[in-house]
Amino acid sequence: MSRRMAREKALQSLFQIDLSNESPQIAIENVLDGEKKDAFLEEIVFGTCEKQQEIDALLSEHLKNWALDRLVNIDRSILRMAVYELLYMENIPVNVTLNEAIELAKSFGTDESSRFINGVLSSIIQATEIKK
């Protein structure tokens, strides 16, 4: 499975977890639908869930005039996943994470999602001085 596809499946899993409070393992099994497990996909989903409180606190600091719980569910899931990658997956360049998050927003979000995701993630990157 390519990393792009793994990110899509991870996003679908995180979205499912956010909506229905499903366990990460069940959500992953649901999106894989019999496909072979993928370590990259699992790392993103389990890691994002494990670090969600820290990620949400950071996101809340960078949401201008928005509350995290008021975001469109798919945007919230994309942001959480991207922040996990930025903070905890050192082998992924910042620009790759940013570009992939924007592409996911274009594919799965609303018309405004990609600009919104770009703005929030750019703010976090600048404020935390992430350099990979």
Side-chain angles (χ1 to χ4, degrees):
M1 178 179 301
S2 70
R3 283 197 166 185
R4 175 159 285 182
M5 182 57 68
R7 281 185 181 92
E8 284 185 19
K9 299 280 188 191
L11 175 59
Q12 292 167 351
S13 298
L14 291 168
F15 180 78
Q16 190 178 123
I17 292 163
D18 192 35
L19 277 183
S20 65
N21 208 21
E22 192 72 73
S23 76
Q25 187 62 44
I26 297 296
I28 290 169
E29 287 174 16
N30 289 342
V31 300
L32 285 176
D33 194 33
E35 289 180 61
K36 188 175 149 189
K37 286 187 177 186
D38 183 85
F40 185 70
L41 159 66
E42 289 185 332
E43 180 178 358
I44 292 171
V45 174
F46 284 110
T48 301
C49 290
E50 181 180 310
K51 301 289 188 181
Q52 185 173 324
Q53 281 189 315
E54 295 165 41
I55 291 167
D56 286 357
L58 182 61
L59 283 169
S60 294
E61 291 174 27
H62 294 275
L63 292 172
K64 293 179 175 59
N65 303 317
W66 284 94
L68 189 62
D69 63 343
R70 301 267 328 230
L71 293 182
V72 175
N73 293 44
I74 198 72
D75 290 355
R76 184 172 47 242
S77 295
I78 293 169
L79 285 168
R80 284 175 174 159
M81 184 174 84
V83 170
Y84 177 77
E85 276 192 38
L86 288 169
L87 296 179
Y88 303 105
M89 298 181 82
E90 295 178 10
N91 61 332
I92 301 173
V94 170
N95 63 326
V96 170
T97 298
L98 185 59
N99 290 337
E100 290 289 333
I102 292 167
E103 290 303 314
L104 287 169
K106 287 177 182 176
S107 296
F108 295 98
T110 65
D111 291 341
E112 298 83 29
S113 291
S114 61
R115 287 183 49 228
F116 178 73
I117 299 287
N118 186 22
V120 174
L121 293 178
S122 294
S123 173
I124 290 170
I125 291 165
Q126 287 178 334
T128 57
E129 298 179 4
I130 298 170
K131 292 180 178 41
K132 295 189 223 173

